[in-house]
Amino acid sequence: MNILVINAGSSSLKYQLFDMRTESIIAKGICDRIGIDGFLKHTPVSNGKPEYSSGIPLPTHAEAISAVIEKLTSADYGVIKSLTEINAIGHRVVHGGRRFIESVLIDDEVLDAIEACVRLAPLHIPANLLGINACAEKMPGIPQVAVFDTAFHHTIPEHAYIYAVPYKYYEENDVRRYGFHGTSHRFVSAKAIEYLGGKAEGTKIVTCHLGNGSSLTAVKNGKSIDTSMGVTPLEGVPMGTRCGSVDPALLSIISEFDGISLNEAMDVLNKKSGMLGVSGVSSDFRDIEAAAGGARNEGGAAENALRKRAKLSLDIFNYQVAKFIGSYTFAMGGLDAIVFTAGVGENSSYTRAGVCALLNGVGVRIDGEKNEQRCSGEYMDITGDGSIAKVLVIPTNEELVIARDTIEIVGK
Ligand code: ADP
């Protein structure tokens, strides 16, 4: 059974086609710059055919899906003969609101309910819907499943998800902590439980999904009991360009200082803050680590000032991540494992070492040598001698979770 997994953004559409007999990827790719000019990168994985990578006109998501179908079935780059070899399509949907606490088969009523979540994720849901509608148009009759980023967090208790603002905003406007990256937190926490012996009951894990967007989750007994992102993905630790948790009064302070509207000030917090805002270098951790490194006191004063700010942004990030791990350890009444995942968590030994050094005082230890290695398998255990908790690097695989949920729902 083949499952096509789609992750549609406003100007991009990523896809992976899975053979679920072996849970292996047959082909994958990305349509980029949709609505601008268009670019398609398609990689046949299963049969050694060449990669396709070229600019092609992609005015809307419908043309993007057509291009994906054409490549998947083409003689030169294809991996299947026809669309009948795609049994179902799984979509990543960013927000499921209060209603969607698990993955669902998409029908008209579900589509309406997803549309009703637009006000909670105005940048993301419309793009997800474009992807779903384009698939319905170009691949009619193939069942589609929605897998929600928020669903794993539906087990968070009220006292952790209600904001201390007038209750009517929750009752009348669905304002609460939802959390995101749920598919990733679910995948890596399940893997960690497997590693710890296979029984979810009694386990206390903090999963750190650290990428462009970052969130941490307290996973107790296999269930999310708290997470750092909130009603939107702006809350929590600082991110590539997002500020994370700040004093909400900053919004009006920035707006007054710059003479801009509150919406424009929101833009500053979403797009110009975080690692980019502090470092002034980049939102990308590799660039920042490079800028922060090198010999001290070399170069001119300006260069040193930049280096200091790059280092400061990494220090702020590590501190906030460590603070969340600490508070979740108390919230869960203990800690069995810290899991690092996503672009930064999986690849940055600097971040892992920095975060764990801040937790050294409470007994978290990593093995410096193991931390420098690359995780090539499903796990990398970097726990040091005498550590009170395991420290694990577990590569996330959100697409596989989506494919698994999809097959589960449409039947084997
Ligand atoms: P997204 O949230 O867009 O899915 P990713 O999980 O792919 O993001 O993470 C992207 C981030 O991971 C970037 O900031 C990138 O610099 C960082 N990253 C990737 N590889 C490394 C590395 N070897 N060292 C440090 N950071 C890395």
PDB file of all heavy atoms in Angstrom, residues 66-79:
ATOM      1  N   SER A  66      -0.357  18.758  -9.854  1.00  0.00           N
ATOM      2  CA  SER A  66      -0.267  18.164 -11.195  1.00  0.00           C
ATOM      3  C   SER A  66       1.175  17.818 -11.539  1.00  0.00           C
ATOM      4  O   SER A  66       1.458  16.752 -12.097  1.00  0.00           O
ATOM      5  CB  SER A  66      -0.793  19.134 -12.256  1.00  0.00           C
ATOM      6  OG  SER A  66      -2.167  19.301 -12.099  1.00  0.00           O
ATOM      7  N   ALA A  67       2.091  18.721 -11.193  1.00  0.00           N
ATOM      8  CA  ALA A  67       3.509  18.484 -11.494  1.00  0.00           C
ATOM      9  C   ALA A  67       4.029  17.284 -10.699  1.00  0.00           C
ATOM     10  O   ALA A  67       4.805  16.473 -11.220  1.00  0.00           O
ATOM     11  CB  ALA A  67       4.328  19.733 -11.163  1.00  0.00           C
ATOM     12  N   VAL A  68       3.602  17.166  -9.438  1.00  0.00           N
ATOM     13  CA  VAL A  68       4.027  16.030  -8.605  1.00  0.00           C
ATOM     14  C   VAL A  68       3.526  14.728  -9.217  1.00  0.00           C
ATOM     15  O   VAL A  68       4.282  13.755  -9.362  1.00  0.00           O
ATOM     16  CB  VAL A  68       3.501  16.179  -7.149  1.00  0.00           C
ATOM     17  CG1 VAL A  68       3.769  14.906  -6.338  1.00  0.00           C
ATOM     18  CG2 VAL A  68       4.137  17.378  -6.466  1.00  0.00           C
ATOM     19  N   ILE A  69       2.242  14.703  -9.626  1.00  0.00           N
ATOM     20  CA  ILE A  69       1.661  13.494 -10.216  1.00  0.00           C
ATOM     21  C   ILE A  69       2.427  13.129 -11.492  1.00  0.00           C
ATOM     22  O   ILE A  69       2.776  11.981 -11.726  1.00  0.00           O
ATOM     23  CB  ILE A  69       0.162  13.718 -10.563  1.00  0.00           C
ATOM     24  CG1 ILE A  69      -0.639  13.942  -9.274  1.00  0.00           C
ATOM     25  CG2 ILE A  69      -0.402  12.538 -11.345  1.00  0.00           C
ATOM     26  CD1 ILE A  69      -2.073  14.401  -9.528  1.00  0.00           C
ATOM     27  N   GLU A  70       2.684  14.157 -12.293  1.00  0.00           N
ATOM     28  CA  GLU A  70       3.389  13.912 -13.568  1.00  0.00           C
ATOM     29  C   GLU A  70       4.755  13.274 -13.299  1.00  0.00           C
ATOM     30  O   GLU A  70       5.120  12.285 -13.937  1.00  0.00           O
ATOM     31  CB  GLU A  70       3.522  15.258 -14.314  1.00  0.00           C
ATOM     32  CG  GLU A  70       3.860  15.131 -15.786  1.00  0.00           C
ATOM     33  CD  GLU A  70       5.358  15.017 -16.040  1.00  0.00           C
ATOM     34  OE1 GLU A  70       6.131  15.740 -15.363  1.00  0.00           O
ATOM     35  OE2 GLU A  70       5.763  14.204 -16.883  1.00  0.00           O
ATOM     36  N   LYS A  71       5.486  13.792 -12.321  1.00  0.00           N
ATOM     37  CA  LYS A  71       6.833  13.265 -12.046  1.00  0.00           C
ATOM     38  C   LYS A  71       6.752  11.864 -11.438  1.00  0.00           C
ATOM     39  O   LYS A  71       7.530  10.976 -11.795  1.00  0.00           O
ATOM     40  CB  LYS A  71       7.597  14.204 -11.094  1.00  0.00           C
ATOM     41  CG  LYS A  71       8.111  15.458 -11.779  1.00  0.00           C
ATOM     42  CD  LYS A  71       9.202  15.152 -12.777  1.00  0.00           C
ATOM     43  CE  LYS A  71       9.470  16.292 -13.736  1.00  0.00           C
ATOM     44  NZ  LYS A  71       8.482  16.512 -14.797  1.00  0.00           N
ATOM     45  N   LEU A  72       5.794  11.673 -10.519  1.00  0.00           N
ATOM     46  CA  LEU A  72       5.684  10.353  -9.862  1.00  0.00           C
ATOM     47  C   LEU A  72       5.388   9.245 -10.871  1.00  0.00           C
ATOM     48  O   LEU A  72       5.773   8.096 -10.666  1.00  0.00           O
ATOM     49  CB  LEU A  72       4.574  10.367  -8.790  1.00  0.00           C
ATOM     50  CG  LEU A  72       4.861  11.118  -7.487  1.00  0.00           C
ATOM     51  CD1 LEU A  72       3.606  11.190  -6.619  1.00  0.00           C
ATOM     52  CD2 LEU A  72       5.985  10.433  -6.703  1.00  0.00           C
ATOM     53  N   THR A  73       4.694   9.611 -11.976  1.00  0.00           N
ATOM     54  CA  THR A  73       4.259   8.589 -12.937  1.00  0.00           C
ATOM     55  C   THR A  73       5.040   8.642 -14.261  1.00  0.00           C
ATOM     56  O   THR A  73       4.758   7.869 -15.168  1.00  0.00           O
ATOM     57  CB  THR A  73       2.754   8.763 -13.255  1.00  0.00           C
ATOM     58  OG1 THR A  73       2.535  10.104 -13.701  1.00  0.00           O
ATOM     59  CG2 THR A  73       1.880   8.478 -12.050  1.00  0.00           C
ATOM     60  N   SER A  74       6.010   9.568 -14.370  1.00  0.00           N
ATOM     61  CA  SER A  74       6.683   9.743 -15.675  1.00  0.00           C
ATOM     62  C   SER A  74       7.669   8.602 -15.960  1.00  0.00           C
ATOM     63  O   SER A  74       8.175   7.943 -15.048  1.00  0.00           O
ATOM     64  CB  SER A  74       7.422  11.086 -15.721  1.00  0.00           C
ATOM     65  OG  SER A  74       8.689  10.956 -15.126  1.00  0.00           O
ATOM     66  N   ALA A  75       7.935   8.385 -17.241  1.00  0.00           N
ATOM     67  CA  ALA A  75       8.853   7.313 -17.634  1.00  0.00           C
ATOM     68  C   ALA A  75      10.273   7.611 -17.140  1.00  0.00           C
ATOM     69  O   ALA A  75      10.981   6.716 -16.685  1.00  0.00           O
ATOM     70  CB  ALA A  75       8.833   7.170 -19.150  1.00  0.00           C
ATOM     71  N   ASP A  76      10.673   8.881 -17.200  1.00  0.00           N
ATOM     72  CA  ASP A  76      12.062   9.220 -16.871  1.00  0.00           C
ATOM     73  C   ASP A  76      12.340   9.326 -15.367  1.00  0.00           C
ATOM     74  O   ASP A  76      13.423   8.988 -14.904  1.00  0.00           O
ATOM     75  CB  ASP A  76      12.432  10.563 -17.517  1.00  0.00           C
ATOM     76  CG  ASP A  76      12.455  10.451 -19.029  1.00  0.00           C
ATOM     77  OD1 ASP A  76      12.613   9.311 -19.517  1.00  0.00           O
ATOM     78  OD2 ASP A  76      12.296  11.483 -19.698  1.00  0.00           O
ATOM     79  N   TYR A  77      11.354   9.833 -14.613  1.00  0.00           N
ATOM     80  CA  TYR A  77      11.609  10.115 -13.196  1.00  0.00           C
ATOM     81  C   TYR A  77      10.638   9.389 -12.261  1.00  0.00           C
ATOM     82  O   TYR A  77      10.705   9.546 -11.052  1.00  0.00           O
ATOM     83  CB  TYR A  77      11.478  11.625 -12.928  1.00  0.00           C
ATOM     84  CG  TYR A  77      12.365  12.470 -13.811  1.00  0.00           C
ATOM     85  CD1 TYR A  77      11.860  13.081 -14.966  1.00  0.00           C
ATOM     86  CD2 TYR A  77      13.709  12.640 -13.502  1.00  0.00           C
ATOM     87  CE1 TYR A  77      12.683  13.839 -15.789  1.00  0.00           C
ATOM     88  CE2 TYR A  77      14.534  13.395 -14.312  1.00  0.00           C
ATOM     89  CZ  TYR A  77      14.017  14.003 -15.451  1.00  0.00           C
ATOM     90  OH  TYR A  77      14.832  14.743 -16.241  1.00  0.00           O
ATOM     91  N   GLY A  78       9.734   8.610 -12.847  1.00  0.00           N
ATOM     92  CA  GLY A  78       8.625   8.059 -12.073  1.00  0.00           C
ATOM     93  C   GLY A  78       8.978   6.867 -11.206  1.00  0.00           C
ATOM     94  O   GLY A  78      10.024   6.223 -11.390  1.00  0.00           O
ATOM     95  N   VAL A  79       8.073   6.593 -10.255  1.00  0.00           N
ATOM     96  CA  VAL A  79       8.249   5.431  -9.384  1.00  0.00           C
ATOM     97  C   VAL A  79       6.999   4.546  -9.391  1.00  0.00           C
ATOM     98  O   VAL A  79       7.015   3.445  -8.860  1.00  0.00           O
ATOM     99  CB  VAL A  79       8.561   5.853  -7.932  1.00  0.00           C
ATOM    100  CG1 VAL A  79       9.957   6.426  -7.813  1.00  0.00           C
ATOM    101  CG2 VAL A  79       7.521   6.839  -7.416  1.00  0.00           C
TER     102      VAL A  79
END
